[in-house]
Amino acid sequence: MDPIRVVLADDHTLVRSGIRALLERFDDVEMVGEAANGREALELVEKHRPDIVLMDIAMPELNGLEAARRIHQLFPTTRVLLLSMYDNEEYVAEALAIGAAGYVLKDASAAELDIAVHAVARGESYLSPAVAKRIVEGQVPPGGEGAVGLQRLTPRQREILQLIAEGNSSKEIARKLELSVKTVETHRTQLMERLDIHDIAGLVRYAIRVGLVKPE
Amino acid sequence: MDPIRVVLADDHTLVRSGIRALLERFDDVEMVGEAANGREALELVEKHRPDIVLMDIAMPELNGLEAARRIHQLFPTTRVLLLSMYDNEEYVAEALAIGAAGYVLKDASAAELDIAVHAVARGESYLSPAVAKRIVEGQVPPGGEGAVGLQRLTPRQREILQLIAEGNSSKEIARKLELSVKTVETHRTQLMERLDIHDIAGLVRYAIRVGLVKPE
DNA sequence: ACGCTTATCGGGTGTTCACCCGATACCTCG
DNA sequence: CGAGGTATCGGGTGAACACCCGATAAGCGT
């Protein structure tokens, strides 16, 4: 039986190391890479084509949902298992919409992680019980702001917005995304118009409100 | 040599299991209990009198800082090693004030956790480099209780900061406060230097973090 | 009386932002 | 095919920002 090749992404090194230690207990799991943000995760997936990406949602640079969306599009054979602090309905709904193979809460047990990883590796899906419960019962899509609001933006615009809210200048964003400063400015102008928010402070508050970034 | 007896407290089971897996690699560490919140941690300390409590700050029921304070008072032989997501100055200052033996960031490496645990077990203290840097630079008064958070700003600076975070330009602020634009700019420069935050986005996140403004 | 902090105001310089105009290229949907 | 959305890049303009330098004045504690 071939080992399950896994890429792990979490911005907190200690948490990442801990989960890695748990995964290494499963003798059919092979760790092929670790990433500290969504962009690194994307690069590792492109390079190693793992079976599974186990990825936190809340990450700087490029968050887990956005990274998951792209991974699912670009490398459909790699299955994404998302980790999250909260059973936030907006997140769950969006995670399912973009083709994540599983959604595990951070208060899951090691045994549950075991089950989730192997289920996803077999091509099945896994949802933490609390999450599954919401899907079965609730069935009510977001309703609130969160994901719905963000849907008004294109993926590129969301990405730019996150980087702005994290304090990057247009020049820094251009460098990180390997774009022209002009392109970044255009995206910023477009998303400002679409959100009808016309200053940096407002963008930051909006990004925090919808959970794109944290106040830290 | 007696083993180092450790109680671990973190509200996220998966994170807790991961860190436990890391600790169990150290053959001189003996796990004597796990807690999901501060109150459980307190009970476990009373019951087992461990050498060390490794505890997250952000926990429900009773947070890590409050739990650390009581543990230090009631069981002074048990040393508290705090875990935190952020090098939040408010937290660091309070942690030091209540007698925590160490403060480790969650983006520390497993090797750093090793060093921290053994240092604290020997009766020494440990601070993550980023935290130590703040102490050395005098940004956090060791053992101080008054000069935390917003208290480091003058009333005028807090007023300006709030208006900035609410999306006002310097000109708008000057008009509202009946000041010269130059005066407003000076205040902004001063408070940026004092907070060591050098962009609008960072100021907005800070203002939200300390409750000066809300994301809405 | 002296030093320190706070608060006020100014000149100047370079960078970044916000918005105006333009363009090309790709993809999808009808 | 054509229309619309997305993504990319460019010129140009004026406002705002970030940081450098300077100053005056009031208050407060030693």
PDB file of all heavy atoms in Angstrom, chain B residues 37-53:
ATOM      1  N   ASN B  37      -9.458  24.156  29.776  1.00  0.00           N
ATOM      2  CA  ASN B  37      -9.661  25.558  30.161  1.00  0.00           C
ATOM      3  C   ASN B  37      -8.933  25.835  31.482  1.00  0.00           C
ATOM      4  O   ASN B  37      -8.373  24.925  32.107  1.00  0.00           O
ATOM      5  CB  ASN B  37     -11.148  25.885  30.281  1.00  0.00           C
ATOM      6  CG  ASN B  37     -11.844  25.026  31.334  1.00  0.00           C
ATOM      7  OD1 ASN B  37     -11.432  24.997  32.488  1.00  0.00           O
ATOM      8  ND2 ASN B  37     -12.893  24.340  30.920  1.00  0.00           N
ATOM      9  N   GLY B  38      -8.944  27.076  31.897  1.00  0.00           N
ATOM     10  CA  GLY B  38      -8.184  27.473  33.069  1.00  0.00           C
ATOM     11  C   GLY B  38      -8.650  26.812  34.350  1.00  0.00           C
ATOM     12  O   GLY B  38      -7.842  26.457  35.224  1.00  0.00           O
ATOM     13  N   ARG B  39      -9.958  26.617  34.458  1.00  0.00           N
ATOM     14  CA  ARG B  39     -10.481  26.031  35.690  1.00  0.00           C
ATOM     15  C   ARG B  39     -10.038  24.576  35.827  1.00  0.00           C
ATOM     16  O   ARG B  39      -9.608  24.142  36.907  1.00  0.00           O
ATOM     17  CB  ARG B  39     -12.006  26.121  35.709  1.00  0.00           C
ATOM     18  CG  ARG B  39     -12.598  26.047  37.095  1.00  0.00           C
ATOM     19  CD  ARG B  39     -14.084  26.359  37.085  1.00  0.00           C
ATOM     20  NE  ARG B  39     -14.405  27.541  36.292  1.00  0.00           N
ATOM     21  CZ  ARG B  39     -14.188  28.791  36.705  1.00  0.00           C
ATOM     22  NH1 ARG B  39     -13.688  29.019  37.900  1.00  0.00           N
ATOM     23  NH2 ARG B  39     -14.496  29.802  35.937  1.00  0.00           N
ATOM     24  N   GLU B  40     -10.112  23.851  34.734  1.00  0.00           N
ATOM     25  CA  GLU B  40      -9.639  22.468  34.763  1.00  0.00           C
ATOM     26  C   GLU B  40      -8.148  22.415  35.093  1.00  0.00           C
ATOM     27  O   GLU B  40      -7.703  21.547  35.851  1.00  0.00           O
ATOM     28  CB  GLU B  40      -9.872  21.804  33.391  1.00  0.00           C
ATOM     29  CG  GLU B  40     -11.313  21.447  33.102  1.00  0.00           C
ATOM     30  CD  GLU B  40     -11.474  20.743  31.760  1.00  0.00           C
ATOM     31  OE1 GLU B  40     -10.466  20.188  31.264  1.00  0.00           O
ATOM     32  OE2 GLU B  40     -12.593  20.734  31.236  1.00  0.00           O
ATOM     33  N   ALA B  41      -7.411  23.338  34.532  1.00  0.00           N
ATOM     34  CA  ALA B  41      -5.972  23.384  34.799  1.00  0.00           C
ATOM     35  C   ALA B  41      -5.712  23.576  36.288  1.00  0.00           C
ATOM     36  O   ALA B  41      -4.865  22.910  36.888  1.00  0.00           O
ATOM     37  CB  ALA B  41      -5.324  24.502  34.001  1.00  0.00           C
ATOM     38  N   LEU B  42      -6.479  24.472  36.878  1.00  0.00           N
ATOM     39  CA  LEU B  42      -6.337  24.767  38.305  1.00  0.00           C
ATOM     40  C   LEU B  42      -6.608  23.517  39.141  1.00  0.00           C
ATOM     41  O   LEU B  42      -5.872  23.193  40.089  1.00  0.00           O
ATOM     42  CB  LEU B  42      -7.316  25.889  38.670  1.00  0.00           C
ATOM     43  CG  LEU B  42      -7.006  26.748  39.893  1.00  0.00           C
ATOM     44  CD1 LEU B  42      -5.603  27.311  39.807  1.00  0.00           C
ATOM     45  CD2 LEU B  42      -8.016  27.880  39.986  1.00  0.00           C
ATOM     46  N   GLU B  43      -7.638  22.792  38.761  1.00  0.00           N
ATOM     47  CA  GLU B  43      -7.982  21.573  39.499  1.00  0.00           C
ATOM     48  C   GLU B  43      -6.887  20.515  39.373  1.00  0.00           C
ATOM     49  O   GLU B  43      -6.550  19.835  40.345  1.00  0.00           O
ATOM     50  CB  GLU B  43      -9.312  21.012  38.980  1.00  0.00           C
ATOM     51  CG  GLU B  43     -10.511  21.892  39.347  1.00  0.00           C
ATOM     52  CD  GLU B  43     -11.758  21.526  38.541  1.00  0.00           C
ATOM     53  OE1 GLU B  43     -11.707  20.528  37.796  1.00  0.00           O
ATOM     54  OE2 GLU B  43     -12.776  22.254  38.641  1.00  0.00           O
ATOM     55  N   LEU B  44      -6.360  20.406  38.172  1.00  0.00           N
ATOM     56  CA  LEU B  44      -5.306  19.415  37.951  1.00  0.00           C
ATOM     57  C   LEU B  44      -4.042  19.770  38.736  1.00  0.00           C
ATOM     58  O   LEU B  44      -3.359  18.885  39.256  1.00  0.00           O
ATOM     59  CB  LEU B  44      -4.974  19.312  36.455  1.00  0.00           C
ATOM     60  CG  LEU B  44      -6.014  18.575  35.613  1.00  0.00           C
ATOM     61  CD1 LEU B  44      -5.630  18.588  34.142  1.00  0.00           C
ATOM     62  CD2 LEU B  44      -6.151  17.131  36.112  1.00  0.00           C
ATOM     63  N   VAL B  45      -3.750  21.046  38.820  1.00  0.00           N
ATOM     64  CA  VAL B  45      -2.563  21.478  39.568  1.00  0.00           C
ATOM     65  C   VAL B  45      -2.746  21.163  41.047  1.00  0.00           C
ATOM     66  O   VAL B  45      -1.836  20.663  41.713  1.00  0.00           O
ATOM     67  CB  VAL B  45      -2.307  22.983  39.361  1.00  0.00           C
ATOM     68  CG1 VAL B  45      -1.256  23.480  40.337  1.00  0.00           C
ATOM     69  CG2 VAL B  45      -1.861  23.253  37.934  1.00  0.00           C
ATOM     70  N   GLU B  46      -3.943  21.420  41.543  1.00  0.00           N
ATOM     71  CA  GLU B  46      -4.221  21.140  42.952  1.00  0.00           C
ATOM     72  C   GLU B  46      -4.082  19.646  43.243  1.00  0.00           C
ATOM     73  O   GLU B  46      -3.588  19.237  44.278  1.00  0.00           O
ATOM     74  CB  GLU B  46      -5.634  21.616  43.289  1.00  0.00           C
ATOM     75  CG  GLU B  46      -6.024  21.384  44.747  1.00  0.00           C
ATOM     76  CD  GLU B  46      -7.397  21.967  45.058  1.00  0.00           C
ATOM     77  OE1 GLU B  46      -8.100  22.352  44.087  1.00  0.00           O
ATOM     78  OE2 GLU B  46      -7.755  22.044  46.244  1.00  0.00           O
ATOM     79  N   LYS B  47      -4.507  18.848  42.299  1.00  0.00           N
ATOM     80  CA  LYS B  47      -4.536  17.394  42.482  1.00  0.00           C
ATOM     81  C   LYS B  47      -3.145  16.767  42.322  1.00  0.00           C
ATOM     82  O   LYS B  47      -2.760  15.899  43.111  1.00  0.00           O
ATOM     83  CB  LYS B  47      -5.487  16.799  41.434  1.00  0.00           C
ATOM     84  CG  LYS B  47      -5.811  15.327  41.602  1.00  0.00           C
ATOM     85  CD  LYS B  47      -6.936  14.948  40.620  1.00  0.00           C
ATOM     86  CE  LYS B  47      -7.133  13.453  40.531  1.00  0.00           C
ATOM     87  NZ  LYS B  47      -8.122  13.118  39.472  1.00  0.00           N
ATOM     88  N   HIS B  48      -2.410  17.234  41.320  1.00  0.00           N
ATOM     89  CA  HIS B  48      -1.157  16.543  40.976  1.00  0.00           C
ATOM     90  C   HIS B  48       0.097  17.308  41.375  1.00  0.00           C
ATOM     91  O   HIS B  48       1.179  16.739  41.368  1.00  0.00           O
ATOM     92  CB  HIS B  48      -1.112  16.272  39.463  1.00  0.00           C
ATOM     93  CG  HIS B  48      -2.193  15.374  38.968  1.00  0.00           C
ATOM     94  ND1 HIS B  48      -2.284  14.041  39.333  1.00  0.00           N
ATOM     95  CD2 HIS B  48      -3.258  15.604  38.147  1.00  0.00           C
ATOM     96  CE1 HIS B  48      -3.342  13.503  38.746  1.00  0.00           C
ATOM     97  NE2 HIS B  48      -3.951  14.434  38.035  1.00  0.00           N
ATOM     98  N   ARG B  49      -0.039  18.576  41.686  1.00  0.00           N
ATOM     99  CA  ARG B  49       1.137  19.398  42.008  1.00  0.00           C
ATOM    100  C   ARG B  49       2.274  19.153  41.020  1.00  0.00           C
ATOM    101  O   ARG B  49       3.349  18.667  41.395  1.00  0.00           O
ATOM    102  CB  ARG B  49       1.624  19.095  43.431  1.00  0.00           C
ATOM    103  CG  ARG B  49       0.566  19.271  44.494  1.00  0.00           C
ATOM    104  CD  ARG B  49       0.089  20.717  44.563  1.00  0.00           C
ATOM    105  NE  ARG B  49      -0.999  20.853  45.535  1.00  0.00           N
ATOM    106  CZ  ARG B  49      -0.795  21.265  46.801  1.00  0.00           C
ATOM    107  NH1 ARG B  49       0.401  21.576  47.200  1.00  0.00           N
ATOM    108  NH2 ARG B  49      -1.828  21.384  47.621  1.00  0.00           N
ATOM    109  N   PRO B  50       2.077  19.466  39.764  1.00  0.00           N
ATOM    110  CA  PRO B  50       3.119  19.232  38.748  1.00  0.00           C
ATOM    111  C   PRO B  50       4.271  20.233  38.902  1.00  0.00           C
ATOM    112  O   PRO B  50       4.163  21.205  39.663  1.00  0.00           O
ATOM    113  CB  PRO B  50       2.378  19.483  37.436  1.00  0.00           C
ATOM    114  CG  PRO B  50       1.354  20.503  37.792  1.00  0.00           C
ATOM    115  CD  PRO B  50       0.907  20.150  39.194  1.00  0.00           C
ATOM    116  N   ASP B  51       5.354  19.953  38.195  1.00  0.00           N
ATOM    117  CA  ASP B  51       6.467  20.898  38.193  1.00  0.00           C
ATOM    118  C   ASP B  51       6.139  22.099  37.301  1.00  0.00           C
ATOM    119  O   ASP B  51       6.489  23.227  37.599  1.00  0.00           O
ATOM    120  CB  ASP B  51       7.738  20.208  37.682  1.00  0.00           C
ATOM    121  CG  ASP B  51       8.106  19.008  38.539  1.00  0.00           C
ATOM    122  OD1 ASP B  51       8.324  19.209  39.745  1.00  0.00           O
ATOM    123  OD2 ASP B  51       8.137  17.884  38.005  1.00  0.00           O
ATOM    124  N   ILE B  52       5.469  21.805  36.189  1.00  0.00           N
ATOM    125  CA  ILE B  52       5.197  22.843  35.194  1.00  0.00           C
ATOM    126  C   ILE B  52       3.756  22.754  34.689  1.00  0.00           C
ATOM    127  O   ILE B  52       3.226  21.665  34.513  1.00  0.00           O
ATOM    128  CB  ILE B  52       6.138  22.688  33.971  1.00  0.00           C
ATOM    129  CG1 ILE B  52       7.586  22.954  34.369  1.00  0.00           C
ATOM    130  CG2 ILE B  52       5.722  23.624  32.833  1.00  0.00           C
ATOM    131  CD1 ILE B  52       8.569  22.803  33.226  1.00  0.00           C
ATOM    132  N   VAL B  53       3.155  23.909  34.486  1.00  0.00           N
ATOM    133  CA  VAL B  53       1.905  23.981  33.732  1.00  0.00           C
ATOM    134  C   VAL B  53       2.199  24.717  32.433  1.00  0.00           C
ATOM    135  O   VAL B  53       2.612  25.882  32.453  1.00  0.00           O
ATOM    136  CB  VAL B  53       0.811  24.749  34.492  1.00  0.00           C
ATOM    137  CG1 VAL B  53      -0.482  24.727  33.695  1.00  0.00           C
ATOM    138  CG2 VAL B  53       0.583  24.134  35.854  1.00  0.00           C
TER     139      VAL B  53
END
